Amino acid sequence: MPPAIALFGSARRRGNTGAFMDRIATELGIEVVDLSALRIAPYDYEHSHRGDDFEPLMRRVLEFNRLIFASPVYWYAVSSPMKNFLDRITDFLDLPELLDEGRRLRGKTGYVVCTSIYDEAPKPFVDAFRDGFEYLGMRFGGLAHVNCKDGYDPERHDAAATSFAQALLE
Ligand SMILES: Cc1cc2nc3c(=O)[nH]c(=O)nc-3n(C[C@H](O)[C@H](O)[C@H](O)COP(=O)(O)O)c2cc1C
C-alpha cells in the first residue's frame, strides 16, 4: 500500500503545480489523481449528482491515512476543481447513509502542496485547509510550497519536493 494518495486540481495538468506534485509523487511512489479528469459536479443541496465520480473517488481516498491536496494559488484560494472536491466532502457529512464513511476522515493526516508567484503561500489559502482539516477531525501534516513566478524549475524546486516527501514518511 503506497504511503499516501494525492488529489490534484489545476487549470492545467502539466503546469507548475503538476510538475511539483509529480516530483513529490515519484519520490513517494504514489498516485496523483487529476480531479479535472473526473466528473465531479459542484456541490448542490439536493445531492443530485450522486452518480458522478465523487463517491467512488472518496471511497478510494478513505483507504489512505495520508491525503495530499495539491492546487495552485488562484486568487488567494484553491483552484476550481479542488474547491469542487472540497465542497463535495459535505455530501459525506450531510447524507445519513454516507456519514459513517465520512467519519473515517477523522484521525487522517492532510498535507498541502501548492505553487504561487510569491515566496510564501497566502495565509488564507493555507488556513482554509488547516481549519477544514480540523473541522473534519484531521491532523495538518505539513505544507510544500514553491514560488513559480518563472515557472517550475527542477534545479531550484526539486529540493523542496524531496524534503517534503521525506518528512511525510517520518
Ligand atoms: C487565475 C489565476 C489566478 C492566480 N492568482 C494568484 C494569486 O492570487 N496569488 C499568487 O501568488 N499567484 C497567483 N497566480 C499564479 C499561480 O499561482 C502560479 O502561476 C502557479 O504556479 C500556477 O500553477 P499551475 O501551472 O498549476 O496553474 C494565479 C494564476 C492564475 C492563472
Side-chain angles (χ1 to χ4, degrees):
M1 180 88 173
I5 188 167
L7 301 161
F8 163 81
S10 166
R12 51 182 185 176
R13 177 63 186 89
R14 310 241 163 259
N16 300 333
T17 317
F20 187 39
M21 186 61 243
D22 284 346
R23 187 66 189 82
I24 291 168
T26 302
E27 200 67 18
L28 292 171
I30 66 168
E31 180 189 358
V32 178
V33 177
D34 180 6
L35 297 172
S36 300
L38 298 174
R39 287 177 311 117
I40 301 179
Y43 175 81
D44 71 288
Y45 284 91
E46 287 72 40
H47 309 288
S48 46
H49 299 284
R50 292 206 47 200
D52 71 8
D53 293 333
F54 177 70
E55 287 180 33
L57 172 60
M58 265 299 274
R59 296 202 170 96
R60 270 203 305 131
V61 166
L62 288 168
E63 299 298 308
F64 292 85
N65 289 326
R66 298 185 186 95
L67 317 180
I68 299 176
F69 297 83
S71 168
V73 176
Y74 290 162
W75 290 102
Y76 306 92
V78 293
S79 65
S80 308
M82 178 59 71
K83 186 65 167 68
N84 264 359
F85 177 83
L86 296 172
D87 286 353
R88 286 292 298 279
I89 292 176
T90 311
D91 288 358
F92 276 75
L93 310 177
D94 277 357
L95 292 167
E97 66 269 35
L98 296 183
L99 188 58
D100 280 348
E101 288 179 282
R103 286 190 176 132
R104 288 178 57 204
L105 286 167
R106 289 180 183 165
K108 297 192 187 295
T109 305
Y111 299 82
V112 177
V113 167
C114 63
T115 69
S116 74
I117 54 164
Y118 294 103
D119 285 338
E120 282 185 24
K123 191 172 178 311
F125 179 99
V126 182
D127 282 350
F129 281 106
R130 215 182 272 283
D131 295 347
F133 292 165
E134 190 181 335
Y135 184 79
L136 293 167
M138 292 170 56
R139 205 171 71 81
F140 186 91
L143 168 76
H145 168 268
V146 286
N147 181 344
C148 288
K149 188 162 94 55
D150 302 314
Y152 185 83
D153 175 359
E155 277 192 22
R156 285 176 55 218
H157 297 138
D158 275 3
T162 51
S163 65
F164 172 78
Q166 275 159 23
L168 182 143
L169 291 174
E170 275 162 15

